[in-house]
Amino acid sequence: MAWNEPGGGNNQQDPWGGGGGRRPSGNGGNNGGGNQGPPDLDEALKKFQDKINRLLGGRGKRSGSGGDGSSGSNGAGGKRNPFILPILVLIVAVVIWAGSGFHLIDQSERGVVFRLGKYTETLNPGLHWNPPIIDRVDSVNVTSIRSATQTDSMLTSDENIVRVSVSAQYVVSDSHAFLVNVNEPEMTLQNAMDSALRQEVGNMHLQEILTTGRDRLGQRVFERLTAYMEAYGTGLRLQTVNVESTAPPDQVQDAFDDVIRAREERQRSINQANAYSQAVVLEAKGQKQRLIEEANGYKAASVSDAIGQTNRFNSLLSEYRQAPDVTRQRLYLETMSQVLAKTPKALVDLGDSNAVTVLPLNQMQAGGNSSQSDSSPMSMQQLEQISRQVIDQMNSGSQQPTRSSSLREGR
């Protein structure tokens, strides 16, 4: 609701003045001029527009249709100030320019400030203000891991062609060097990686690259490429270099597969031969050890037997020295017992008759016991009978005047 209604006449009230007219009692107004309500926003806006118009040199509006008709400060015939509009435009432009100088650097970024094209400083994460147009701030992500790949056919040291695929992971370590030192640092990295890869592949043999040398190739490329990046000052730091694949060209892939199969077959045959060789060598070593152990055992047994016989002879010698005749007779009897125990014949010494009779015990035993087997022992009666026959023969032989010996063998 407006404070001053149209057609109100002298009952208009000034929201900013202290006096002003009074409302009629019929409208519910108070008689006192000091009990006014809050100011009207529409009226305040109109007054503000009037002031802007007066500043620009225009004619201000009247406060109301029933007012005293007084105009603004410049009046109806006042002149417009030509410097007001440019000043306002300038002020607005300055405000916009100053507001556009604020920028926020993310935690994963660094801001590189160029003042009139010259490097000034590097901004850390946070809110910063730099004068626009004068300063240019370029943000560089220094935490994200970037990658580059290189795949091409190359010549090895043994004049063979191999196709190698390599990938590299890197980050931006120096944002200033990344933006200033090299025009296109990532393209420079790509070209340097190609150069380093060709250099290292050219120093290796094809078989080494295809089999056991892949890890060594990746390590060499990493070292060489790191040296290139430091020399160029690209602001990039390598993290890893991986050899993804190594293969011969497609045109000779079948021939390489045949060579690989032949090489594997050769290695398998070599492994089988080595296994057989080891088995034979181990068996021969076992036989050798067995023979050595048997020889050592025979040696120990022979030495022990010789030592035992020597000790026995020494003991017998001491007994012989104490009683020679008895020892001699005992040795004679033991020796004869050992000798005669191996023959089926028996020699009987007749004593004074000086005759020796040979008894064919095996034939006598076979004749006296024909009903029994050859291996069965003789009975006591048969032995007594044989003994009497022997005694009779000895008695008949003792009547001869001269000493004679008769050797009889059983037929």
Side-chain angles (χ1 to χ4, degrees), residues 179-232:
L179 295 176
V180 175
N181 292 350
V182 182
N183 187 20
E184 295 182 357
E186 293 182 327
M187 182 61 67
T188 302
L189 173 66
Q190 196 82 17
N191 296 333
M193 183 167 60
D194 182 70
S195 175
L197 183 60
R198 291 182 181 276
Q199 179 69 27
E200 295 301 332
V201 169
N203 294 332
M204 300 176 66
H205 293 279
L206 174 64
Q207 185 60 32
E208 184 181 7
I209 296 174
L210 295 178
T211 56
T212 60
R214 292 179 56 179
D215 294 338
R216 187 162 56 255
L217 174 62
Q219 182 63 28
R220 290 180 179 178
V221 173
F222 176 81
E223 295 174 355
R224 184 176 291 274
L225 188 56
T226 301
Y228 287 167
M229 292 296 99
E230 292 178 355
Y232 296 157

Side-chain angles (χ1 to χ4, degrees), residues 283-300:
E283 184 179 0
K285 288 182 178 180
Q287 293 179 358
K288 169 189 173 184
Q289 190 64 28
R290 181 177 61 83
L291 293 176
I292 291 175
E293 296 296 334
E294 290 179 354
N296 291 333
Y298 177 76
K299 172 185 176 182

